[in-house]
Amino acid sequence: MQLYHHPFDLDSQKVRLALEEKGIDYTSYHVNPITGKNLDSSFFKMTPSGRLPVFQNGSHIIYNTIDIIKYIERIAEVSSGSQTISSSGRDVIEWMHKIQEWDPKYFSLSHTPEKHRAYVSKFKRRVVIARMADSSELAGAYHEKLREAYQTEEKLKDADVLRRSKEHLIRLLDETERQLSETRYLGGEQFSMADVMFIPILARLVLLGLESEYIAARPNISEYWFTVQKRASYKKVIGKHFDGWRKHKTLLKTWCFVHIRSLLKRY
């Protein structure tokens, strides 16, 4: 089994947390979307959207995050020797879809310093153009990615787009706060795949320096966040890259790559 992912990517974090929680062995391939590695022709042929994560088991390839996690659950049940293959219950599935409905892209980018965001965006557009020239057979798909990049820049200037993203997040957090006043975890008293889906959102808020406003202000989520950070899966998937000083190392490595490639005009 192979997973194409990157520590920066929220959906990648969700899938990796599921894999670690279920104890599934897999081969890891880092594909950094900030440096444009998801635009390399070899990866682009596999998934023309260029989106992460991608899960491959033999000839079976899955792109949808929730579908990947459900597949991981089935693998775990079969591997355990259970005669009856079980999966997440209805409440957990509902939470998984509810969490996945919030797109973090515009919220995250709007809280990134504009000069850094513009610099990386320009670099990625040049990567697309360079790959388009190298792989003419994929020109149509690359052109779509270029159009998508320009659309993203336009939407980041639209106050309504940013407002809706923030309001959607607040509704999700408020509903989670109410749920955690009744149960220890999102799906009940046991840790579930709903928590796997939700934890990366809290980690992203902390990374963006928004913990006080969005987490600490909600006591049940705050206690929950303190608890889930102790899990081995969190430490391996997220904490290893973003806790404390580690986030500076992770981000600096990527920033240096982008800066040097830009100076050398090697895309």
Side-chain angles (χ1 to χ4, degrees):
M1 288 177 285
Q2 302 169 329
L3 179 68
Y4 299 84
H5 68 99
H6 196 270
F8 289 143
D9 180 67
L10 255 67
D11 284 343
S12 293
Q13 292 175 358
K14 295 169 186 177
V15 170
R16 285 200 66 213
L17 284 170
L19 287 163
E20 295 300 330
E21 287 288 339
K22 296 298 183 180
I24 303 296
D25 292 330
Y26 62 99
T27 301
S28 169
Y29 294 99
H30 276 204
V31 183
N32 193 333
I34 296 179
T35 62
K37 290 299 182 183
N38 61 320
L39 300 171
D40 287 354
S41 60
S42 58
F43 184 75
F44 218 58
K45 287 175 182 176
M46 183 188 303
T47 170
S49 69
R51 293 176 182 167
L52 299 170
V54 175
F55 185 84
Q56 183 173 9
N57 187 10
S59 61
H60 191 45
I61 302 176
I62 314 175
Y63 308 98
N64 180 275
T65 299
I66 291 179
D67 288 345
I68 295 173
I69 290 175
K70 288 180 178 179
Y71 187 77
I72 290 168
E73 283 192 296
R74 292 196 295 272
I75 292 173
E77 291 295 334
V78 171
S79 299
S80 69
S82 174
Q83 295 298 315
T84 303
I85 299 176
S86 63
S87 58
S88 294
R90 186 180 65 183
D91 290 345
V92 170
I93 294 295
E94 286 180 359
W95 268 108
M96 289 170 69
H97 283 281
K98 193 177 300 182
I99 293 165
Q100 194 66 5
E101 285 172 1
W102 180 64
D103 185 349
K105 181 167 75 170
Y106 296 111
F107 182 87
S108 297
L109 289 174
S110 68
H111 287 86
T112 302
E114 186 175 356
K115 65 177 183 179
H116 297 323
R117 188 181 75 219
Y119 192 85
V120 171
S121 178
K122 184 178 180 180
F123 174 82
K124 290 174 71 175
R125 291 197 302 271
R126 288 177 171 173
V127 170
V128 173
I129 293 170
R131 298 295 177 275
M132 194 185 304
D134 294 338
S135 304
S136 57
E137 73 278 10
L138 296 172
Y142 280 125
H143 187 271
E144 179 61 25
K145 290 300 292 183
L146 193 60
R147 187 178 67 83
E148 182 183 307
Y150 282 113
Q151 284 184 338
T152 297
E153 290 302 312
E154 288 302 313
K155 287 184 177 181
L156 284 169
K157 299 174 185 176
D158 189 333
D160 287 338
V161 170
L162 303 183
R163 175 183 54 78
R164 287 195 296 270
S165 180
K166 180 178 179 179
E167 289 176 351
H168 191 165
L169 172 63
I170 289 173
R171 288 195 301 272
L172 175 61
L173 292 175
D174 287 345
E175 188 170 354
T176 300
E177 177 71 7
R178 290 191 293 272
Q179 178 64 40
L180 293 175
S181 70
E182 301 174 0
T183 57
R184 185 179 183 187
Y185 297 105
L186 281 177
E189 296 307 311
Q190 300 297 320
F191 188 90
S192 71
M193 294 299 101
D195 302 293
V196 157
M197 297 283 290
F198 187 64
I199 290 171
I201 292 178
L202 299 183
R204 175 58 55 88
L205 292 172
V206 173
L207 181 64
L208 293 172
L210 300 172
E211 182 174 5
S212 297
E213 180 179 356
Y214 291 95
I215 298 177
R218 295 173 173 84
N220 294 317
I221 290 181
S222 184
E223 182 179 354
Y224 168 89
W225 175 233
F226 178 77
T227 299
V228 296
Q229 287 180 86
K230 297 177 181 179
R231 300 186 74 86
S233 61
Y234 169 86
K235 293 177 181 178
K236 184 171 183 178
V237 174
I238 299 175
K240 176 182 177 181
H241 301 283
F242 296 108
D243 278 359
W245 61 270
R246 294 181 182 87
K247 68 179 180 181
H248 301 294
K249 178 183 177 181
T250 301
L251 295 170
L252 182 62
K253 182 179 179 180
T254 294
W255 177 251
C256 287
F257 180 95
V258 171
H259 187 60
I260 292 171
R261 289 290 179 126
S262 295
L263 288 176
L264 298 175
K265 299 187 184 301
R266 294 180 59 187
Y267 306 110

